[in-house]
Amino acid sequence: MIIEQAEVVVTSPGRNFVTLRLTTDDGLVGLGDATLNGRELAVVSYLRDHVVPLLIGRDPHRIEDTWQFLYRSAYWRRGPVTMAAIAAVDVALWDLKAQAAGMPLYQLLGGASRTGLLAYGHASGRDLPELFDSIRDHLEQGYRAIRVQTGVPGLNAVYGVAANQRADDTAGARYDYEPASRGAFPQEEDWDTRAYLRHLPGVFEAVRGEFGPELPLLHDGHHRMTPIQAAKLGKALEPYDLFWLEDCTPAENQQGLRLVRQHTTTPLAIGEIFNTVYDYQTLVTEQLIDYVRSAVTHTGGITHLRKILDFAAQYQIKSGMHGPTDISPVGMAAALHLGLAIHNFGIQEYMKHGTRTDEVFRQTFTWTDGLLHPGDQPGLGVTLDVDEAGKYPYERAYLPYNRLTDGTVHDW
Ligand code: KDG
Ligand code: MG
């Protein structure tokens, strides 16, 4: 078998997605997700201009060799653009290998280690009544674990609080949360860490009061605190028994997590913007985190993320793969196969795509009683309807950025 054709498909059925589509001389089609929210076209160019020409004629079975070739032969290593491009190739190759074997991909990764994957959804509200409604709605949808994001008095737009109508679904239905906005310039949001720190513990106290002690609750700090502020928040949230506190600091300063860890037993999750195992070395070997947030899509694919997760497993650290709507259905499917196979699965983020996206990407995963399963079709179990994809051309979109009340640019 050889790779005969490699195409990069860009489509925007509600939001932008970049997909690598490999076709073999046997007529098999393998898919890989290369979506990098707000910087999509950089990955398109990396793939189209530099990688696609190297793939034609290659043996698709040589996954590890192809990975090492793309990583090492570029000379310029790592970074989100490179690693998203390599991830797309890697996942498309795994998809092809599993189809050629006539097996769902998780079987090639060692077989199922569980019957389904615990998933969490995104509840949010500008105030408590809105937040409680959103949590009830998620419980009715079957979620058994819920991320809680809330408005902060005095701030106009806060990360994770659903602000938009669902762009591509039933009129009036609430869009869970899509931070990127279409247009020529990123939207500006405002931020005040002290106001947030004063407000958040009371919100979790109220949520526990309303929904009881058992429901696993998560929260995303979205990189906005210094280590000492994160330590203070983790400590203040201890009575509410969080499943995790995510991205409490911009964690490229891995050593900063030592300070956080010294002060709190609130479990910590980090890594959605990381792209290689090297971003985790201190965090893992010093056991400064509890969950690895990396997505297959942004971390060099299944081949590299599996290595990170095996490394983490030696330190009792589990997976908590990133799964917002900017991970395409192809990227989600890859996460589900990997999550089903590994021993140290923790939880999977699951936001659900809109109906138009689901028409472009036909999927076979299941969602039953709060548990996801990738399904038993050979390969990833996702097909791309190229005609449907062609109806939705790329639209320029940016993630927002933050300014503090005095105008200083802050982490978003
Ligand atoms: O593109 C950015 C989003 O993927 C990110 O803001 C979502 O933090 C996020 C999460 O935890 O889902
Ligand atoms: Mg996050």
Side-chain angles (χ1 to χ4, degrees), residues 193-215:
T193 310
R194 292 191 70 233
Y196 164 75
L197 293 176
R198 280 196 304 275
H199 185 63
L200 196 67
V203 171
F204 273 91
E205 184 182 14
V207 171
R208 278 288 177 223
E210 182 73 12
F211 295 95
E214 280 177 33
L215 180 64

Side-chain angles (χ1 to χ4, degrees), residues 23-358:
T23 310
T24 68
D25 55 342
D26 289 1
L28 296 180
V29 175
L31 301 176
D33 178 24
T35 308
L36 188 61
N37 206 2
R39 294 292 185 272
E40 296 89 354
L41 298 186
V43 193
V44 172
S45 164
Y46 193 106
L47 282 169
R48 271 193 193 141
D49 298 334
H50 305 290
V51 173
V52 160
L54 308 177
L55 297 177
I56 308 303
R58 279 187 89 80
D59 174 1
H61 283 303
R62 299 184 64 182
I63 298 178
E64 179 71 28
D65 183 69
T66 302
W67 196 98
Q68 299 296 343
F69 166 65
L70 292 177
Y71 184 76
R72 290 170 203 282
S73 71
Y75 187 66
W76 311 106
R77 300 177 185 192
R78 307 166 66 182
V81 175
T82 297
M83 298 307 280
I86 294 179
V89 177
D90 184 75
V91 170
L93 295 182
W94 278 109
D95 189 12
L96 288 172
K97 190 187 273 295
Q99 288 179 53
M103 289 181 187
L105 174 53
Y106 72 82
Q107 293 291 11
L108 296 193
L109 301 175
S113 288
R114 56 195 51 79
T115 51
L117 304 170
L118 177 67
Y120 73 91
H122 288 193
S124 73
R126 282 167 295 187
D127 51 25
L128 282 180
E130 223 179 74
L131 176 60
F132 286 4
D133 283 351
S134 174
I135 294 175
R136 278 190 205 100
D137 176 52
H138 279 76
L139 291 172
E140 279 162 24
Q141 290 177 51
Y143 282 103
R144 293 189 196 170
I146 296 185
R147 188 183 90 159
V148 169
Q149 302 296 131
T150 170
V152 175
L155 298 182
N156 295 319
V158 174
Y159 163 79
V161 179
N164 312 315
Q165 298 301 107
R166 191 182 275 271
D168 60 345
D169 215 331
T170 336
R174 242 175 83 157
Y175 193 84
D176 281 328
Y177 154 65
E178 170 49 69
S181 61
R182 286 158 191 242
F185 205 79
Q187 280 182 8
E188 185 176 305
E189 296 187 349
D190 52 349
W191 185 248
D192 178 346
T193 310
R194 292 191 70 233
Y196 164 75
L197 293 176
R198 280 196 304 275
H199 185 63
L200 196 67
V203 171
F204 273 91
E205 184 182 14
V207 171
R208 278 288 177 223
E210 182 73 12
F211 295 95
E214 280 177 33
L215 180 64
L217 296 176
L218 302 85
H219 178 73
D220 191 347
H222 224 257
H223 326 273
R224 289 160 191 217
M225 288 165 273
T226 62
I228 199 67
Q229 289 169 331
K232 182 176 174 173
L233 180 65
K235 207 159 142 179
L237 293 177
E238 278 171 21
Y240 315 115
D241 188 26
L242 264 61
F243 185 97
W244 78 34
L245 171 62
E246 175 186 343
D247 286 335
C248 58
T249 67
E252 56 259 49
N253 171 19
Q254 294 185 43
Q255 290 80 355
L257 268 295
R258 289 182 190 140
L259 185 61
V260 186
R261 208 58 154 173
Q262 276 161 18
H263 290 282
T264 181
T265 57
T266 293
L268 303 174
I270 283 184
E272 71 183 36
I273 64 169
F274 288 176
N275 40 70
T276 68
V277 69
Y278 305 107
D279 300 317
Y280 284 102
Q281 272 177 328
T282 304
L283 295 178
V284 168
T285 54
E286 296 188 22
Q287 292 187 227
L288 300 178
I289 57 171
D290 302 280
Y291 296 92
V292 164
R293 284 286 285 146
S294 280
V296 171
T297 303
H298 300 137
T299 322
I302 287 171
T303 297
H304 193 65
L305 183 53
R306 172 128 211 190
K307 289 174 184 172
I308 297 174
L309 292 173
D310 287 346
F311 170 49
Q314 297 169 48
Y315 297 85
Q316 292 162 286
I317 297 169
K318 296 187 175 186
S319 73
M321 286 178 237
H322 195 211
T325 43
D326 47 285
I327 300 294
S328 89
V330 174
M332 268 302 283
L336 301 188
H337 285 280
L338 182 58
L340 198 69
I342 55 174
H343 179 250
N344 59 330
F345 171 80
I347 198 166
Q348 174 64 50
E349 182 177 20
Y350 175 47
M351 269 180 80
K352 297 185 178 173
H353 291 108
T355 47
R356 275 202 264 158
T357 298
D358 292 343

